[in-house]
Amino acid sequence: MGEPNEVFRRLREVEWDLSRSKAAEYLVAESAKSGETVYLVARTIATWEDGTTAWPQSRYRRLLHKVTGRTAAELGFTPPSHRTRAVPRREYDAQERGGTDEMLRRSILLGAGAAVLTAVTPAAASTGRALGQDHVRALAAIEQDLYAQDRDHGSAQLGQQAVTALHTAHAWLSKGHYSEDLGRRLHTATGRLSVAAGWLALDAARTADARSHYTEALASSRQADDPGLEAHAWACLSLLAHSTGRPREAVTTAQVAQRAATGLGSPRWLSLLALREARGWALQGDRVPAEQALVRAHDLYARGPSDADPDWLAFFVPAELAGLESLCRADLGQHDRASAGAEQAVMLFGAGHTRNRSLYTADIALHHARRTGPDLDAATDAAHRTLAYLPDVRSQRLIRSLRDIAGALQPHRQVRCVADYLDAYRATVPAAFRTSA
């Protein structure tokens, strides 16, 4: 851990007069105004102030500069001493004050992979040199970048980068020298990266790979003695069980995750885990326990954010709460309520979370197509909106959703609006991903 950042802490406490939770909300609101929305929680602010994060990511530095008029260094942050290359002052200023071209930035992030990690201290793992906090920060940075790119553009090009970075992390653990305390942090960071890799594998329907990554994360949680990581790994195994048609396992793993997370002080986290349990009950067709879990999820969510919320939980905004409930409603056969919930999710997301908006828009089409007495106009309208997300969203799950929509609409192909959509679908989605629809 680096030195505490008293400069930024004073800014928050004295100039802004805000708690960490309120400061996070304030910065998110300001980012939306500037057109580069970021997602951060109280825990993010805490890592800045206690020195765990000595140098925030570029998007956070740009936001802080826009809000305060000061550079990150002037706000008390310390730039890393090791860089992959020297950054000319002119380029540094451009990045700090205005940002780089979006497509170039995206390409750099998508191609970063293990280069971000191995550049921290050259050949540390192969030579057995001592590891340090920079290595923990590097693992955290690549994890956050993977999630950010997945949230905005989908995961299709990210899986190999995650696996490569994970291999580097395991090499550090097996060959590097580190203290017991640093070892726990490295195991936690590696476990969180395993969770990210598992999610990317699951999105690509590589369920065996996803299970392997999630099991690795569970092992890392035990090595790090980290109940938060343990709860996260169990929650992911519950999600995997949803996706592979094992509802009983989905319920039991969600319940184990809730027990692991009970003492962590994060109602929002427990709310998400209650939704995981609700989905398992819904998949089994058990309406009463599903409804009870949904009520519990809403009650927990209403307690608001907490300083104990993990950074990755930033995706769990009100829109996501509505969207996840809509999936439960669909599993229970309540397609009218499901379509209304998915519409609410898309509306609440606004301009953020592009991948999730695309998936919930696809759900709207499916719910309308599968209800008793299909609403074909509403279904095809949502289906056309879903197509519009291609190719910016690169997600195999979106392709599968589009294929499911086409399959659900195929029996109605003689209806003009359906025929028009199926023509657009065939013209837009590559033939390799289509059914015979």
Side-chain angles (χ1 to χ4, degrees):
M1 183 180 294
E3 293 295 323
N5 187 341
E6 296 299 336
V7 176
F8 183 77
R9 186 190 300 273
R10 284 196 301 272
L11 170 72
R12 176 181 64 81
E13 293 179 342
V14 178
E15 295 185 33
W16 292 351
D17 190 24
L18 295 174
S19 67
R20 286 173 173 173
S21 294
K22 292 298 183 182
E25 293 175 6
Y26 166 65
L27 288 173
V28 170
E30 290 298 313
S31 72
K33 295 177 184 177
S34 68
E36 186 182 12
T37 304
V38 301
Y39 301 92
L40 65 159
V41 293
R43 183 60 192 155
T44 313
I45 305 295
T47 64
W48 294 352
E49 293 180 355
D50 65 20
T52 301
T53 300
W55 189 247
Q57 295 178 53
S58 58
R59 59 182 179 271
Y60 297 135
R61 300 199 306 269
R62 288 195 294 270
L63 172 61
L64 289 170
H65 181 265
K66 289 174 182 176
V67 171
T68 69
R70 304 172 218 175
T71 66
E74 291 170 337
L75 291 171
F77 295 104
T78 305
S81 56
H82 301 279
R83 294 186 179 276
T84 56
R85 62 182 179 89
V87 181
R89 182 70 203 182
R90 182 180 304 171
E91 179 181 342
Y92 170 83
D93 287 342
Q95 292 174 357
E96 197 72 3
R97 299 176 187 276
T100 55
D101 177 81
E102 172 61 22
M103 290 303 293
L104 176 60
R105 183 183 73 83
R106 190 184 309 169
S107 299
I108 290 171
L109 287 176
L110 289 172
V116 174
L117 306 179
T118 55
V120 177
T121 48
S126 60
T127 62
R129 289 168 54 184
L131 304 183
Q133 187 60 29
D134 282 349
H135 295 80
V136 177
R137 293 194 189 103
L139 293 174
I142 193 66
E143 178 214 357
Q144 291 170 12
D145 283 337
L146 287 168
Y147 280 131
Q149 289 300 301
D150 175 55
R151 181 186 65 236
D152 293 339
H153 304 289
S155 65
Q157 299 180 34
L158 297 174
Q160 187 55 51
Q161 279 74 21
V163 171
T164 302
L166 198 54
H167 286 169
T168 301
H170 283 300
W172 288 353
L173 284 167
S174 65
K175 298 179 181 179
H177 297 310
Y178 43 84
S179 67
E180 182 178 348
D181 179 65
L182 183 65
R184 284 195 294 269
R185 296 182 200 172
L186 285 167
H187 278 296
T188 289
T190 301
R192 292 181 62 167
L193 191 56
S194 294
V195 167
W199 163 249
L200 297 172
L202 180 58
D203 187 69
R206 291 184 286 105
T207 55
D209 289 344
R211 180 173 292 277
S212 175
H213 288 311
Y214 291 152
T215 303
E216 282 185 2
L218 194 59
S220 294
S221 75
R222 301 295 174 81
Q223 291 169 298
D225 191 22
D226 187 333
L229 177 58
E230 180 184 356
H232 199 177
W234 283 117
C236 290
L237 286 168
S238 179
L239 183 62
L240 176 63
H242 297 156
S243 301
T244 51
R246 297 193 301 276
R248 181 172 295 180
E249 181 183 330
V251 170
T252 56
T253 48
Q255 291 171 337
V256 173
Q258 288 171 80
R259 290 196 293 271
T262 296
L264 299 177
S266 174
R268 287 279 169 93
W269 196 345
L270 290 172
S271 172
L272 177 63
L273 296 176
L275 283 168
R276 293 274 190 267
E277 181 184 341
R279 186 84 193 278
W281 290 121
L283 285 168
Q284 290 184 156
D286 290 335
R287 186 184 63 81
V288 172
E291 295 280 4
Q292 291 171 340
L294 285 171
V295 169
R296 191 165 71 253
H298 279 277
D299 288 344
L300 287 163
Y301 197 90
R303 297 183 189 179
S306 164
D307 286 351
D309 294 343
D311 287 351
W312 61 263
L313 197 63
F315 86 95
F316 191 35
V317 292
E320 190 69 23
L321 175 67
L324 292 175
E325 179 179 353
S326 75
L327 296 176
C328 293
R329 299 297 177 190
D331 292 332
L332 290 169
Q334 301 170 356
H335 293 295
D336 287 349
R337 295 184 69 176
S339 59
E343 288 277 13
Q344 182 184 23
V346 173
M347 178 187 69
L348 289 174
F349 273 130
H353 295 260
T354 306
R355 177 182 58 81
N356 285 16
R357 277 192 291 120
S358 72
L359 293 171
Y360 284 125
T361 304
D363 286 340
I364 295 167
L366 283 169
H367 300 328
H368 282 301
R370 290 171 173 171
R371 62 194 290 185
T372 302
D375 185 337
L376 298 178
D377 286 331
T380 53
D381 174 72
H384 280 292
R385 285 189 281 142
T386 306
L387 274 181
Y389 284 99
L390 296 175
D392 190 50
V393 174
R394 302 178 293 270
S395 169
Q396 293 300 316
R397 193 148 62 110
L398 179 60
I399 295 294
R400 293 195 298 274
S401 292
L402 287 165
R403 189 170 57 205
D404 290 344
I405 293 169
L409 290 174
Q410 180 68 12
H412 310 283
R413 59 187 177 277
Q414 301 304 321
V415 178
R416 178 60 181 271
C417 64
V418 173
D420 289 345
Y421 170 72
L422 292 176
D423 287 343
Y425 167 73
R426 295 187 187 101
T428 305
V429 178
F433 296 110
R434 296 201 305 261
T435 66
S436 58

